[in-house]
């Protein structure tokens, strides 16, 4: 059975990819919204990246968890551009929520804890996932747990996205001493030193996110990327309580354990971090649910400016002018059960229009 994907609008982009909202339609006429992530050509022009990307993307097809964005398909255009077709999360990312709350100087400790707990659940699932056929550990590590990669839905769901892209990109772009280029501020010290990483590097990133949301400040950041890397390597963490008196010693200690420079001294698993945050919520009688996340997402959406007429025109053009291309899930050693699909896309010229 073939599936047809139609691109509706461009949602945004970054250093690795750009994302479009689209629909998936089967031959029986069933439709659902999807997100289509186009990996940028400057990465897919590198054969080493492509090999690593395909390996990691295929692993992501195994991920089936409420707190992980589900990847449905991997596709390739005739020009060699690669796409990931995934679950569409109707809401905003954590970056948008942080910016909104900082503009209002609004820090909700319960909401911060809940978002981190839910994110940790998704990460722990991936960290401990076994191959469904062999039962062997897949040893999945995200490596890029950062605000744009945590999605919040209008229904209050929290989902981690983009497993695998960071590892693939690390094979293409490096800095001094083998340091991976990317979101330097959310690296772990061991990653910043070019050492092997495991699940604890994602725990460290969760600690960074928690610290930043509780304080309203950046933890490891400098205009000079090399200085940012040095800050990560040193891993000196200022007191949260001194910056936010509403945070107590118990919560600060929990975050600091996640931010231990030495992985052996760090909170060992994402599940442990989630449990410590949950215990703190219960101990202090903080009632927080997905409804609070939904309300926060609605606040972000209400604050956004309406789309410009130029953007509306581009969206209309994308809907009217479509170009066919052949997509695949596999080729070489494709995952079992993978099916060929057809994709309809206009991303190349849409990006050109948006940049003008």
């Amino acid at each position: 059975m073939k599936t047809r994907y139609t691109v509706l609008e461009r949602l945004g982009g970054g250093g690795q990819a750009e994302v479009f909202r689209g629909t998936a339609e089967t031959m029986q006429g069933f439709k659902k919204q999807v997100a289509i992530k186009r990996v940028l050509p400057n990465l897919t022009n590198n054969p080493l990246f492509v090999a690593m990307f395909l390996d990691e993307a295929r692993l992501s097809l195994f991920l089936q968890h409420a707190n992980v964005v589900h990847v449905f398909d991997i596709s390739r255009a005739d020009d060699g551009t690669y796409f990931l077709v995934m679950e569409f999360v109707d809401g905003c990312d954590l970056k948008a929520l942080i910016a909104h709350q900082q503009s209002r100087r609004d820090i909700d400790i319960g909401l911060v804890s809940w978002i981190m707990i839910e994110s940790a659940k998704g990460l722990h699932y991936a960290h401990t996932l076994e191959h469904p056929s062999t039962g062997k550990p897949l040893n999945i590590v995200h490596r890029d747990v950062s605000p744009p990669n945590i999605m919040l839905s209008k229904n209050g769901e929290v989902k981690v996205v983009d497993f695998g892209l960071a590892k693939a990109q690390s094979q293409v772009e490096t800095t001094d001493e083998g340091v991976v280029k990317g979101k330097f501020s959310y690296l772990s010290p061991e990653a910043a030193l070019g050492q092997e990483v495991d699940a604890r590097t994602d725990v460290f990133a969760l600690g960074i996110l928690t610290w930043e949301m509780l304080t309203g400040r950046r933890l490891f950041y400098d205009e000079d990327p090399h200085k940012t890397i040095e800050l990560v390597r040193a891993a000196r963490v200022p007191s949260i309580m001194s910056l936010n008196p509403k945070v107590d010693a118990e919560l600060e200690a929990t975050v600091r354990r996640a931010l231990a420079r030495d992985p052996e001294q760090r909170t060992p698993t994402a599940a442990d971090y989630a449990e410590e945050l949950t215990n703190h919520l219960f101990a202090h009688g903080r009632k927080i649910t997905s409804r609070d996340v939904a309300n926060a997402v609605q606040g972000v959406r209400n604050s956004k400016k309406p789309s410009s007429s130029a953007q509306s025109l581009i969206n209309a053009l994308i809907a009217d002018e479509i170009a066919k291309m052949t997509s695949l899930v596999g080729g070489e050693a494709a995952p079992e059960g993978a099916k060929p699909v057809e994709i309809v896309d206009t991303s190349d010229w849409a990006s050109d229009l948006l940049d003008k």
Side-chain angles (χ1 to χ4, degrees):
M1 180 181 68
K2 289 188 176 181
T3 302
R4 182 186 209 60
Y5 300 106
T6 304
V7 170
L8 301 177
E9 65 174 318
R10 185 181 188 273
L11 299 176
Q16 296 176 335
E18 56 182 347
V19 184
F20 301 85
R21 181 175 67 86
T23 59
E25 182 177 1
T26 67
M27 296 297 288
Q28 286 76 19
F30 296 108
K31 288 186 178 181
K32 68 184 299 182
Q33 284 200 88
V34 295
I36 301 173
K37 177 159 287 192
R38 173 181 181 262
V39 182
L40 297 181
N42 66 299
L43 293 177
T44 52
N45 287 338
N46 186 301
L48 184 60
F49 170 87
V50 170
M52 180 69 74
F53 165 73
L54 288 176
D55 285 344
E56 293 295 307
R58 286 165 182 154
L59 283 182
S60 70
L61 294 172
F62 290 116
L63 298 172
Q64 305 279 341
H65 190 274
N67 298 114
V68 176
V69 171
H70 182 200
V71 177
F72 303 121
D73 194 12
I74 309 162
S75 62
R76 183 176 63 193
D78 292 337
D79 64 359
T81 302
Y82 285 86
F83 292 77
L84 293 176
V85 182
M86 61 188 71
E87 170 188 2
F88 175 70
V89 180
D90 189 5
C92 68
D93 61 24
L94 186 58
K95 181 179 179 180
L97 177 63
I98 291 173
H100 176 66
Q101 293 193 328
Q102 286 181 346
S103 68
R104 299 177 57 195
R105 297 183 180 180
D106 179 21
I107 298 174
D108 185 330
I109 293 176
L111 182 65
V112 170
S113 298
W114 179 270
I115 292 173
M116 290 296 96
I117 290 167
E118 294 296 290
S119 300
K121 288 179 182 178
L123 287 167
H124 183 70
Y125 161 78
H127 294 159
T128 57
L129 187 64
E130 297 177 344
H131 193 289
S133 299
T134 66
K136 294 181 179 179
L138 290 174
N139 297 316
I140 296 175
V141 181
H142 192 291
R143 293 175 171 81
D144 190 15
V145 180
S146 54
N149 286 335
I150 296 178
M151 302 298 301
L152 313 171
S153 83
K154 66 179 183 180
N155 297 318
E157 302 156 305
V158 180
K159 295 174 178 283
V160 183
V161 67
D162 270 8
F163 284 87
L165 267 178
K167 182 177 180 181
Q169 190 180 22
S170 74
Q171 304 303 308
V172 181
E173 298 184 355
T174 58
T175 58
D176 295 342
E177 300 179 42
V179 176
V180 179
K181 282 187 177 180
K183 300 181 183 71
F184 299 127
S185 297
Y186 300 95
L187 291 173
S188 64
E190 58 271 23
L193 290 166
Q195 300 172 353
E196 289 292 322
V197 300
D198 58 25
R200 292 171 294 185
T201 206
D202 289 345
V203 173
F204 191 87
L206 287 174
I208 296 174
L209 288 174
T210 313
W211 191 97
E212 293 186 344
M213 285 192 287
L214 290 175
T215 64
R217 302 189 183 191
R218 297 295 297 274
L219 179 52
F220 305 124
Y221 178 76
D222 191 278
E223 291 291 337
D224 182 347
H226 291 282
K227 290 182 179 178
T228 297
I229 292 170
E230 289 304 319
L231 291 172
V232 173
R233 288 171 173 170
R236 296 188 181 92
V237 180
S239 167
I240 303 175
M241 296 170 63
S242 65
L243 298 170
N244 183 354
K246 294 181 180 179
V247 174
D248 59 30
E250 180 186 355
L251 180 56
E252 168 133 15
T254 293
V255 179
R256 282 188 171 278
R257 278 191 292 274
L259 288 170
R261 185 178 185 277
D262 180 359
E264 296 299 324
Q265 302 300 317
R266 195 176 301 158
T267 308
T269 70
D272 290 324
Y273 190 55
E275 184 172 2
E276 290 184 22
L277 290 174
T278 301
N279 289 341
H280 183 267
L281 284 178
F282 286 164
H284 293 269
R286 286 195 170 96
K287 178 182 176 293
I288 187 81
T289 68
S290 59
R291 187 173 184 178
D292 296 283
V293 177
N295 290 337
V297 170
Q298 188 60 49
V300 175
R301 291 161 70 105
N302 289 342
S303 69
K304 287 186 177 180
K305 296 180 181 179
S307 299
S308 66
S309 57
Q311 179 66 57
S312 298
L313 173 61
I314 291 169
N315 292 345
L317 287 171
I318 291 173
D320 293 337
E321 301 291 336
I322 56 177
K324 291 182 180 180
M325 66 182 189
T326 303
S327 68
L328 51 85
V329 183
E332 321 83 53
E336 187 175 349
K339 300 175 181 178
V341 298
E342 181 180 356
I343 187 166
V344 178
D345 186 76
T346 54
S347 55
D348 289 333
W349 56 265
S351 298
D352 294 338
L353 286 172
L354 286 167
D355 291 336
K356 290 180 180 179

